[in-house]
Structure formats: C-alpha cells, structure tokens
Amino acid sequence: MNILAILNSQGINFPSSDSTKEKDSKIQQLEESNRIKDEQLRLKDEQLRLKDEELKHERDEKEKEKTEKIRKEKEINTLKTENEKLKEQIEKMKPKLSLDAPISIINQDPSDIKLIGMDGLKKKIIKKQNKWNTISLSQVLEDGIWEMESEFTNDNHAAIGIVRDSHNLISGVAANESPNNQHTAILFNQSWNRGQVLCKGKEISGNTGFKGKQKVKQQFDSGTGTLIFFIDGILQLIYITGIQEKVRFIV
C-alpha cells in the first residue's frame, strides 16, 4: 500500500526538504535580528543607566559645591564679624593722635630765641645769635600719639628730637653736648653728623638726614614709648623705642 499516494489523494501534503530549509533559514534570520535588537536595547539601557549615574554624580557634586559654598560664606561672615570686633577693640586701645595742641616753647635764652605766630597752628622760631641753643616745646607728650613737623631755612647745624621732661636744657649748650646729650634723643641734619641719630650720648647711623627746606617730622607714641622720623614723608630706618620717661619735643 502506498501511504503517500493515499494521503495525497486526501489532500494531505508534506513540505519538501527545500521548503523546510528555507523556513529554518528565515527563523534563524528572525532570531538573529531579535538577538541584535535585544543587544541594542541592552546597550541603550546600559547607556541610559550610565547617563543616570553621571547625572546623579553631577547633582551630588553640585549639591556638595553648594553646601561647601554656604559653609565658606558662613565662615567668611564669621571671620568678618570677628575682624570688625577686633578692629573696634584695637581702635579703642589705640592711642589717639593729639591734635590742635597749642605751641609754646621753654625759652631759656630770649636774647637768642624768638617765637612768632603764623597761620593756624604754625609757629616760626627765629634764632638771632650765632651760638648753640636747643629749644624745647613746653607740651609734655603723654596719653596719645604726638607729631611735630619742622622745616629749616638752611643747612646750618640743625636737629629735631625729644628731651626728658625732668631735664632743663642748658642755655648755650648743643643737644649733643654734655649734660644735654644724656637726656635727649635727636636726629641730625646731613651737614651735622651726617644725619645720625643720637640717643643718650650714643650715635647710631642709618638715616639719611635732612636738608634745608625739607619737611622733617618726628612722631612719638607715648603708649609704646617709640620715636620715629620722617623726611619729606619717607619713614627713616633708625628709630628709638623703650622710652618710659615723660618727654618734650626739641629743635
């Protein structure tokens, strides 16, 4: 009995081997296409995951930066507040510059020394004779910072400085001569001792010294006991500190 013939007569056919191979090939192609799409989807998911992690990291970093910025701003504000308080404390403790002090002198030799009032606080001292004399202001330098600015008309022997309030300058004796030199601290001009500083008889080099027509200023801080010098606004290298006595300015 021919079974295939009977099945064929009943309309039942079996695919040929070629048709089966073709279908298998299509199935393989579809499966490969699906595999590729699955891989592409997996890669996209991985990319999205990495992007999410990157964005999260950026958000975390921005949050850290924001937090750090806020912390630094608070720290800066705290430091500013502390700094302002320190400035206020320093300002309260700082000796005040004494202003508008009347100018008068202790004139041991009226025959040689004459004081003339000019404009405002300015005074002019006229020396009439060719002899040594040191002139002291009468103001005692205490409770603050004191300044005196001088200008000499020529380059003759000139000096500025301080003298002990307890010492009366000897008339006819220079500031660098005994006994005056044991009670004074002075800055010479250039033509007299080459601009040296003399303190209680000891000479110290290092300052430039001043000339006629230059503005020479001395500043005494009674709080620290320090005497410094300026020539035409330039601070001089050599200064004197540790002054504990009451003093007066001299020229």
Side-chain angles (χ1 to χ4, degrees):
M1 181 181 292
N2 191 337
I3 296 175
L4 290 175
I6 295 171
L7 291 173
N8 285 332
S9 65
Q10 294 179 359
I12 300 173
N13 298 315
F14 287 93
S16 66
S17 61
D18 291 338
S19 176
T20 301
K21 289 180 180 179
E22 183 180 353
K23 288 181 180 179
D24 288 342
S25 176
K26 286 183 179 180
I27 290 171
Q28 289 177 356
Q29 290 176 1
L30 290 172
E31 287 178 344
E32 179 65 18
S33 176
N34 286 337
R35 187 189 67 77
I36 292 172
K37 288 182 179 179
D38 287 342
E39 180 65 18
Q40 290 175 342
L41 288 172
R42 188 190 68 77
L43 291 174
K44 286 184 179 180
D45 288 342
E46 181 67 15
Q47 290 174 350
L48 289 173
R49 185 185 67 79
L50 292 174
K51 187 66 176 178
D52 286 342
E53 289 182 357
E54 182 180 348
L55 291 173
K56 183 178 181 300
H57 179 71
E58 289 179 358
R59 287 195 298 269
D60 291 343
E61 288 298 316
K62 287 182 179 179
E63 189 64 28
K64 286 180 181 178
E65 289 177 1
K66 183 179 179 181
T67 303
E68 181 66 12
K69 182 180 178 182
I70 293 173
R71 185 190 68 79
K72 287 184 177 180
E73 287 177 351
K74 288 182 179 179
E75 185 177 350
I76 289 171
N77 290 332
T78 300
L79 289 173
K80 283 183 177 179
T81 302
E82 292 176 353
N83 195 32
E84 288 300 321
K85 289 181 179 179
L86 284 173
K87 284 182 179 179
E88 290 177 2
Q89 292 176 0
I90 291 171
E91 193 62 28
K92 289 179 181 178
M93 296 171 63
K94 185 177 179 181
K96 301 300 180 183
L97 183 64
S98 303
L99 301 174
D100 301 332
I103 297 176
S104 61
I105 63 173
I106 299 173
N107 193 349
Q108 302 98 331
D109 192 351
S111 65
D112 184 30
I113 305 300
K114 183 178 181 180
L115 181 67
I116 299 176
M118 297 176 69
D119 57 326
L121 294 175
K122 292 183 180 180
K123 300 288 183 179
K124 184 175 183 179
I125 297 175
I126 298 176
K127 194 172 185 304
K128 297 180 284 186
Q129 299 181 28
N130 185 23
K131 64 177 183 178
W132 294 112
N133 257 320
T134 303
I135 305 158
S136 169
L137 274 63
S138 59
Q139 177 69 52
V140 178
L141 310 180
E142 54 185 349
D143 299 328
I145 298 175
W146 297 80
E147 290 182 348
M148 185 181 81
E149 186 175 81
S150 306
E151 183 178 325
F152 296 86
T153 57
N154 53 51
D155 290 331
N156 290 340
H157 295 79
I160 62 170
I162 56 174
V163 62
R164 278 196 184 108
D165 182 46
S166 60
H167 177 68
N168 292 320
L169 292 165
I170 307 302
S171 177
V173 177
N176 64 334
E177 294 179 329
S178 180
N180 288 341
N181 62 357
Q182 297 303 310
H183 305 276
T184 57
I186 57 177
L187 170 68
F188 294 100
N189 68 352
Q190 286 187 6
S191 65
W192 190 16
N193 282 13
R194 302 175 303 282
Q196 291 181 324
V197 170
L198 179 73
C199 182
K200 296 180 181 179
K202 181 180 179 181
E203 292 186 351
I204 308 168
S205 300
N207 289 346
T208 60
F210 56 93
K211 297 179 180 180
K213 305 299 183 182
Q214 284 189 305
K215 295 185 184 302
V216 55
K217 180 171 68 176
Q218 52 185 332
Q219 183 186 94
F220 178 71
D221 185 340
S222 63
T224 61
T226 302
L227 177 67
I228 58 178
F229 303 100
F230 299 83
I231 298 176
D232 283 340
I234 299 175
L235 177 64
Q236 298 300 290
L237 178 65
I238 304 301
Y239 63 94
I240 302 167
T241 190
I243 302 168
Q244 298 179 355
E245 306 95 331
K246 292 182 179 181
V247 295
R248 293 173 269 117
F249 283 136
I250 58 173
V251 291

